[in-house]
Amino acid sequence: MKNLHDVLKKEKYKKINFKVSKTQHLLVKATINGISGNFILDTGASNSCVGFESIELFDLKAGKSKTKAAGAGATGMYTQLAKNNFLKIGRWKSDEFHLVIFDMTHVNQALLQYKAKPVHGIIGADILLEGKAIIDYANQCLYLK
């Protein structure tokens, strides 16, 4: 088989490197509305999200949401929604990107317990589906189309 990178490049995929943290999470850098942040790449998260403390940082227009968030160790959490943002991961871009905003304290506390750096948010399945994601674990690369 041909080199995966060469095949995906011909198919117009963008290559994004990620790192694996001490906690075995996949970490990517991304910009939201032109501001850079650190994110967990989470195939099990249905939506991409950031913490309430990042509303001002990423210049988000937070609005009401009827959705309750659930994640590892927490359920029924209050959320807000920020619509129509600009997301860039590597050279891949998405306009009109929607973000769930919720209390990520439990996520970052868990990371800190393992002496891992806190994150601004999570890149979830919404982006992975939109970008027709392919994850190359061996080479620590994410490909988005």
Side-chain angles (χ1 to χ4, degrees):
M1 184 175 129
K2 288 185 178 180
N3 180 320
L4 177 64
H5 175 72
D6 294 338
V7 171
L8 294 176
K9 189 174 182 178
K10 286 180 184 172
E11 292 295 320
K12 305 285 191 230
Y13 274 86
K14 308 287 190 228
K15 179 182 175 185
I16 299 126
N17 294 321
F18 62 77
K19 293 182 181 180
V20 180
S21 74
K22 295 175 186 178
T23 57
Q24 299 299 306
H25 288 98
L26 309 184
L27 303 175
V28 295
K29 290 200 178 286
T31 61
I32 298 173
N33 301 327
I35 308 299
S36 183
N38 297 312
F39 295 83
I40 292 174
L41 183 63
D42 188 347
T43 61
S46 54
N47 293 294
S48 296
C49 54
V50 296
F52 288 121
E53 67 282 351
S54 295
I55 292 173
E56 286 184 36
L57 173 67
F58 294 118
D59 193 26
L60 302 174
K61 311 294 187 273
K64 293 182 181 180
S65 172
K66 293 180 182 178
T67 304
K68 295 289 183 193
T75 60
M77 296 180 290
Y78 169 76
T79 65
Q80 288 184 296
L81 186 63
K83 295 182 176 181
N84 303 321
N85 297 286
F86 180 77
L87 172 69
K88 186 175 177 195
I89 307 173
R91 292 181 297 124
W92 186 86
K93 300 171 188 173
S94 177
D95 331 17
E96 299 184 24
F97 164 65
H98 302 330
L99 267 171
V100 173
I101 305 165
F102 77 109
D103 184 357
M104 287 193 49
T105 304
H106 69 287
V107 172
N108 283 318
Q109 283 178 345
L111 291 171
L112 290 170
Q113 282 181 349
Y114 289 95
K115 296 184 175 32
K117 293 181 181 178
V119 295
H120 295 100
I122 295 167
I123 301 297
D126 52 347
I127 291 303
L128 299 175
L129 289 167
E130 179 184 336
K132 297 177 174 49
I134 296 172
I135 300 174
D136 179 355
Y137 288 93
N139 295 304
Q140 296 185 357
C141 300
L142 165 69
Y143 292 92
L144 296 172
K145 187 172 187 175

